[in-house]
């Protein structure tokens, strides 16, 4: 079974600064996808970024980028130039065969 | 395309009552998933459908839970004899499904149904 671990329950950062959220996972599969989802107070799950395990190049989406270390089974999310609207719960998720397995989340607060 | 819709948004019920939630996926999506999320936790997988076939059920899905997806369109999740421990947000998600040699899909989530069992 896959497990996803997010070791930072809460983080806060000043607006415009850069913040990195950590995620590690455990799997015996070789082909899989990794995701970061954002859940604002509305509780709508929003896909932020995804990474295919077979790609060595780290994914980027505007201010969001990942540092994917396959051997270490690490998948961190970096948010640059943080904005107040980035305040939310962030979940790391693993997808192997058929379903997503989520971590316990990191509550990120952007301070004005 | 109006996204994944769930009904109701909130449900308050007394312990022992039955409740039913509905999920309408994006119209062309073959796969439909149910997740449960308690406060401060990540969503936990419950079950998923490929069209009308229920392909996997989590051990979290006790005998009191049943899910259906007749005709491969909308889905319902019923909880019988509700318990206080059933209080949670129930999330539905859908996706296009198998698109190649490796499942390559994006899940679209609904806004969830918040269940409170008194």
């Amino acid at each position: 079974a896959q497990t996803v671990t997010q070791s930072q329950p809460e983080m806060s950062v000043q607006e415009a600064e850069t913040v990195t959220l950590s995620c590690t996972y455990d799997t015996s599969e070789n082909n899989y996808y990794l995701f970061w989802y954002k859940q604002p107070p509305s509780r709508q799950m929003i896909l932020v970024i995804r990474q295919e395990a077979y790609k060595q190049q780290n994914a980027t989406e505007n201010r969001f980028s990942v540092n994917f270390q396959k051997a270490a089974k690490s998948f961190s999310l970096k948010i640059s130039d943080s904005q107040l609207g980035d305040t939310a719960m962030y979940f790391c998720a693993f997808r192997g065969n058929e379903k997503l397995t989520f971590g316990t989340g990191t509550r990120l607060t952007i301070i004005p | 395309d109006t996204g994944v819709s769930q009904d109701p948004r909130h449900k308050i019920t007394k312990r022992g009552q039955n409740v039913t939630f509905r999920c309408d996926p994006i119209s062309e999506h073959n796969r439909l998933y149910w997740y449960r999320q308690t406060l401060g936790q990540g969503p936990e997988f419950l079950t998923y459908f490929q069209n009308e076939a229920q392909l996997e059920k989590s051990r979290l899905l006790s005998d009191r839970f049943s899910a259906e997806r007749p005709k491969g369109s909308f889905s319902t999740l019923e909880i019988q004899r509700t318990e206080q421990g059933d209080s949670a947000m129930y999330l539905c998600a859908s996706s296009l499904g198998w698109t190649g040699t490796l499942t390559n899909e994006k899940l679209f989530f609904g806004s969830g149904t918040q269940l409170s069992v008194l």
Side-chain angles (χ1 to χ4, degrees):
Chain A
Q2 293 85 18
T3 58
V4 179
T5 302
Q6 293 180 252
S7 58
Q8 305 153 312
E10 294 187 21
M11 294 189 71
S12 59
V13 66
Q14 292 285 336
E15 188 178 6
E17 291 187 348
T18 294
V19 61
T20 299
L21 308 183
S22 301
C23 173
T24 58
Y25 59 94
D26 187 25
T27 184
S28 58
E29 298 183 39
N30 194 45
N31 293 324
Y32 51 87
Y33 287 85
L34 295 162
F35 304 83
W36 279 97
Y37 277 87
K38 170 184 177 181
Q39 190 177 44
S42 67
R43 303 197 75 176
Q44 177 78 47
M45 295 290 283
I46 302 166
L47 179 64
V48 174
I49 196 167
R50 76 175 192 176
Q51 173 80 39
E52 291 90 339
Y54 60 86
K55 288 187 177 179
Q56 292 186 334
Q57 186 175 7
N58 289 324
T60 62
E61 287 286 344
N62 301 313
R63 298 183 295 108
F64 299 88
S65 61
V66 299
N67 183 4
F68 174 47
Q69 302 291 328
K70 189 173 183 179
K73 296 181 180 174
S74 170
F75 183 61
S76 61
L77 173 70
K78 185 172 81 172
I79 306 174
S80 303
D81 185 26
S82 57
Q83 301 174 359
L84 297 179
D86 295 333
T87 293
M89 284 289 290
Y90 286 82
F91 293 98
C92 178
F94 171 99
R95 179 181 176 84
N97 289 330
E98 302 297 347
K99 61 183 184 289
L100 280 178
T101 300
F102 288 87
T104 53
T106 296
R107 181 176 301 281
L108 176 64
T109 302
I110 308 301
I111 303 167
Chain B
D1 175 10
T2 57
V4 179
S5 62
Q6 292 187 245
D7 183 70
R9 291 293 303 274
H10 300 90
K11 179 69 177 179
I12 300 174
T13 191
K14 293 182 179 179
R15 188 178 55 183
Q17 297 295 305
N18 298 344
V19 294
T20 300
F21 311 140
R22 176 180 171 121
C23 172
D24 286 272
I26 294 172
S27 59
E28 65 268 25
H29 283 187
N30 298 319
R31 291 200 171 175
L32 186 148
Y33 301 79
W34 284 99
Y35 283 81
R36 182 175 70 185
Q37 184 180 21
T38 53
L39 204 59
Q41 299 296 316
E44 297 172 295
F45 171 78
L46 293 178
T47 187
Y48 90 96
F49 293 82
Q50 172 77 29
N51 298 315
E52 67 275 9
Q54 188 173 17
L55 297 187
E56 186 175 346
K57 295 197 304 185
S58 162
R59 284 173 291 180
L60 293 175
L61 217 62
S62 74
D63 291 344
R64 297 184 297 105
F65 288 71
S66 62
E68 295 181 344
R69 194 184 181 196
K71 303 178 183 178
S73 55
F74 71 92
S75 176
T76 58
L77 177 67
E78 181 184 17
I79 309 175
Q80 296 181 329
R81 304 181 303 282
T82 52
E83 302 173 355
Q84 288 183 326
D86 298 331
S87 295
M89 172 77 82
Y90 290 83
L91 293 166
C92 177
S94 70
S95 70
L96 279 169
W98 192 266
T99 57
T101 56
L102 178 66
T103 303
N104 179 10
E105 59 184 62
K106 175 181 175 180
L107 264 65
F108 294 80
F109 281 85
S111 298
T113 294
Q114 180 67 52
L115 173 66
S116 299
V117 182
L118 304 179

